[in-house]
Amino acid sequence: MKPSDHPDPFQQARVEQGVSEIDDQNDPVQMVLRLKDVRKCAHNWKTYSSEATPGRIVVPSEVNIRDTRQIPFEVDPPKHGAFRELLDPWFKRPLQDDYRDKLRAQISSLITEVIQQNSIEAIHGFSLLLQSRALTILMNTPESEADTFISWGTHVFRSEDDPLDAGKAQQLYDYIDQKIDEAETKPSEDLFSTLLAAEVEGQKLTREQIKGIIILTFAGGRDTVINMVTNTLAYLADHPESLKRLRDEPEIRTRAIEELIRYFSPLTHMGRVATEDAQVCEHAIKADSRISLCWASANRDETVFEKPNEIVLDRKINPHVAFGFATHNCLGATHARTIMQVLIDELCEKVDHIDFLNAEENIEQWGEFDRKVGYHKLYLAFHSA
Ligand code: EMZ
């Protein structure tokens, strides 16, 4: 085992049972572990609904810390499609040159900064800064807003000693309310103003709907992107030959990014609520009970991926589900992929190697499964190319 390895805790249960039950605040969840079943259930939104009580499809459940429905994440078709139609163009902006240029400027100056330091703690000294600054481009707000986002820490609903921190969530809700007020009196080109002016199926969005979209924009790509960036740095520090290979063979970078996303699967799983009695792998799923689509397990499925526990930088066939699958595939995926592309390009250009100094792992606990999702602390030293 190398320090940057992420072992697969689900292997035995996936091979032997395909499904495993965990408790979550007295609302149990049957985790679906095989890729084929995960895809089938994700596709079948009529039986496995996302439109339950707000917060219930998230594991751990957020029903006790929020009432606002996140949109389009907690809405089923056909309404879901109408919201996607509105939001997709905005969330595809990362494909535009000026968006990438802004991102490149941010990431390039961040790397220049960390090279000048003897060592850094990568989460607070790099990934959180990168995610927060990049979010200002996605929202089309001034970059100075990033300081507020940074002050919230790595998860908008979690704090160090509380996995469901209602007080912290309130900070975000207050911020969003204030921003909507501002946009009402002084419209700009940002996401708040754009949503205030928008219509879905011929109707203006309600304030509650706007909040639902914005909360998702803040929460959905927060710890996931931060872990993805941090885990990538740890991997490249631990595998200098991979950084060299990426530098020498730019043509493999796109595949390498998908492979890193598969391997790290920053979002372990996402829930659904059964609308009727059903079955997965011969296990009964009762109406109104919860399942989770375990992307992290599906992405190590040995019946699909050769050498599933290895990072094969130029892996050719890679049908991973790290961004979900079917109807609810990740709205922020283009932004996340663009961040990874720019990050890898800039690291190849500016950094010769990274020293892995010290780390404290972040292990999630799901029933019998302990899954490394990233780090609480990661100390690195960057050396200029
Ligand atoms: C929800 C979720 C969305 C949830 C794609 O994931 O991300 C979680 O981090 C949030 O806590 O509310 O937005």
Side-chain angles (χ1 to χ4, degrees):
M1 269 267 290
K2 290 195 123 209
S4 69
D5 283 353
H6 288 232
D8 170 22
F10 304 110
Q11 188 194 1
Q12 193 181 354
R14 179 177 59 242
V15 172
E16 290 176 7
Q17 296 132 243
V19 168
S20 183
E21 185 173 308
I22 59 167
D23 181 48
D24 171 28
Q25 303 161 71
N26 297 319
D27 189 4
V29 180
Q30 299 263 13
M31 297 177 78
V32 178
L33 302 172
R34 296 179 187 154
L35 183 85
K36 198 168 123 232
D37 297 319
V38 164
R39 286 174 165 227
K40 250 208 269 183
C41 295
H43 193 70
N44 186 1
W45 57 267
K46 283 193 179 143
T47 303
Y48 301 111
S49 170
S50 293
E51 204 163 318
T53 310
R56 195 173 169 218
I57 64 166
V58 184
V59 193
S61 167
E62 293 172 351
V63 289
N64 296 320
I65 57 161
R66 69 175 161 92
D67 305 312
T68 302
R69 179 173 300 284
Q70 291 184 13
I71 296 174
F73 167 63
E74 293 176 313
V75 180
D76 283 331
K79 193 93 190 162
H80 175 269
F83 281 115
R84 280 300 283 247
E85 216 171 286
L86 165 70
L87 296 171
D88 276 336
W90 183 273
F91 283 84
K92 287 264 160 19
R93 285 159 47 253
L95 297 173
Q96 297 166 6
D97 285 343
D98 64 327
Y99 193 105
R100 294 176 97 85
D101 291 345
K102 281 187 202 157
L103 196 54
R104 195 171 298 281
Q106 286 184 352
I107 293 180
S108 160
S109 75
L110 186 55
I111 293 177
T112 306
E113 260 170 59
V114 295
I115 287 176
Q116 283 158 5
Q117 295 167 36
N118 285 334
S119 72
I120 59 153
E121 194 289 294
I123 298 164
H124 289 88
F126 194 90
S127 311
L128 174 64
L129 309 180
L130 189 161
Q131 193 277 345
S132 300
R133 291 175 190 165
L135 187 58
T136 64
I137 310 179
L138 183 63
M139 311 265 306
N140 206 25
T141 57
E143 198 178 318
S144 54
E145 290 292 299
D147 294 339
T148 307
F149 309 162
I150 292 164
S151 75
W152 295 337
T154 53
H155 198 293
V156 291
F157 296 139
R158 288 182 209 152
S159 50
E160 259 176 39
D161 33 40
D162 190 351
L164 291 166
D165 188 333
K168 202 162 171 192
Q170 195 55 49
Q171 274 186 354
L172 172 66
Y173 303 155
D174 290 345
Y175 173 83
I176 294 173
D177 268 322
Q178 180 207 326
K179 285 286 154 186
I180 298 176
D181 289 345
E182 278 173 32
E184 267 169 349
T185 47
K186 201 166 158 272
S188 69
E189 303 272 281
D190 66 8
L191 182 59
F192 297 96
S193 298
T194 304
L195 293 176
L196 272 172
E199 289 187 357
V200 165
E201 294 174 331
Q203 284 196 316
K204 279 271 163 62
L205 300 178
T206 64
R207 193 179 178 98
E208 186 66 7
Q209 287 173 328
I210 295 177
K211 281 169 84 167
I213 294 167
I214 303 272
I215 294 173
L216 179 60
T217 307
F218 276 105
R222 184 69 169 174
D223 53 323
T224 44
V225 169
I226 290 170
N227 284 329
M228 190 59 218
V229 169
T230 311
N231 293 342
T232 299
L233 296 178
Y235 165 74
L236 293 175
D238 213 5
H239 294 267
E241 75 289 355
S242 295
L243 181 55
K244 184 174 181 319
R245 185 162 177 215
L246 289 165
R247 187 176 6 253
D248 295 344
E249 299 172 50
E251 66 280 5
I252 70 162
R253 287 182 197 166
T254 308
R255 269 190 248 137
I257 288 165
E258 291 310 307
E259 174 65 348
L260 292 167
I261 295 171
R262 175 194 74 86
Y263 183 81
F264 295 127
S265 291
L267 182 65
T268 301
H269 55 168
M270 188 45 73
R272 297 286 189 268
V273 174
T275 54
E276 57 189 344
D277 286 347
Q279 244 192 7
V280 178
C281 289
E282 285 153 37
H283 293 264
I285 310 290
K286 284 240 169 336
D288 199 42
S289 72
R290 302 200 290 163
I291 64 163
S292 85
L293 311 171
C294 188
W295 321 116
S297 168
N299 284 341
R300 300 289 181 98
D301 191 324
E302 43 287 288
T303 67
V304 179
F305 301 99
E306 257 176 62
K307 300 195 207 149
N309 298 314
E310 277 176 39
I311 296 181
V312 180
L313 277 184
D314 61 351
R315 187 183 289 278
K316 306 219 164 46
I317 300 167
N318 193 353
H320 73 75
V321 287
F323 287 115
F325 183 72
T327 314
H328 286 281
N329 67 30
C330 177
L331 182 61
T334 313
H335 177 70
R337 285 190 163 110
T338 308
I339 287 178
M340 285 300 293
Q341 286 158 10
V342 174
L343 175 65
I344 295 291
D345 287 351
E346 290 299 307
L347 286 172
C348 286
E349 196 181 306
K350 294 201 164 61
V351 176
D352 179 71
H353 66 281
I354 306 170
D355 293 330
F356 191 119
L357 302 177
N358 211 342
E360 194 188 306
E361 297 186 337
N362 178 1
I363 311 280
E364 290 179 345
Q365 277 169 336
W366 307 106
E368 62 182 283
F369 307 114
D370 287 349
R371 175 171 193 250
K372 176 176 167 185
V373 67
Y375 301 88
H376 286 304
K377 294 264 161 31
L378 174 68
Y379 297 93
L380 301 172
F382 286 68
H383 299 278
S384 149

